[in-house]
Amino acid sequence: AFELLPQSEPVAMYSIYNPKTGDRLNKDMELHFIEIPKYMKAPPKKIGELSKMERWLAYFANKLTDLEREELAMSEPAIKEAMEAEKLFLCNPDEYLRYVNRQMAIMDYRSSLQAAAEEGEARGEARGEARGESRVTRLMSLLLEAGKIEEAREASNNEATRKRLFEKYHIE
């Protein structure tokens, strides 16, 4: 069971409960979800009226005027520090370019991994199907040559029987 905040709120906290007893699993374990789009739809408040969480939401939403950003920086030292780091980063074109190139390289790498995984999966499926068909073909040939028609019929309809016969006749 979950403890929910209203869906329209930009910040939601969830806790894990036992549905039978209603006991909370752990008072220290909570899941917090922050949804910037919901924050941006909420009626605007003055910086001085914002909670600490709302100040961070305002910073991340990046919809403040220069005056509001300055007021926000003055109200929250950690946000001021983040803004200063952001300025330093954006003012150094070489550093910014290195960052953009690194992000592109990471995306390319992930894309390549995904493509390789999909290709490998397709190859594996094709090999598995071919191997499976050749095993079944060998089993059927062996059974029919030995005149074991009933076993062949049963193997063609039942996977468990096929597995047992593969082992019995040592078909890999």
Side-chain angles (χ1 to χ4, degrees), residues 130-148:
R131 182 175 177 257
E133 286 176 18
S134 66
R135 286 176 74 199
V136 171
T137 303
R138 283 184 294 178
L139 177 64
M140 289 301 156
S141 294
L142 187 134
L143 292 173
L144 293 173
E145 285 173 17
K148 298 181 178 182

Side-chain angles (χ1 to χ4, degrees), residues 81-140:
E81 221 176 289
M83 286 179 175
E84 288 171 1
E86 178 185 349
K87 280 182 197 171
L88 284 173
F89 175 72
L90 293 175
C91 287
N92 184 339
D94 292 337
E95 191 68 30
Y96 180 72
L97 186 59
R98 274 197 296 275
Y99 169 78
V100 169
N101 286 335
R102 173 142 173 75
Q103 290 305 108
M104 287 181 4
I106 289 170
M107 287 188 287
D108 287 346
Y109 177 73
R110 288 181 180 159
S111 179
S112 295
L113 280 178
Q114 180 67 30
E118 288 171 4
E119 182 183 331
E121 210 171 284
R123 281 186 188 170
E125 287 174 4
R127 286 181 185 161
E129 288 171 8
R131 182 175 177 257
E133 286 176 18
S134 66
R135 286 176 74 199
V136 171
T137 303
R138 283 184 294 178
L139 177 64
M140 289 301 156

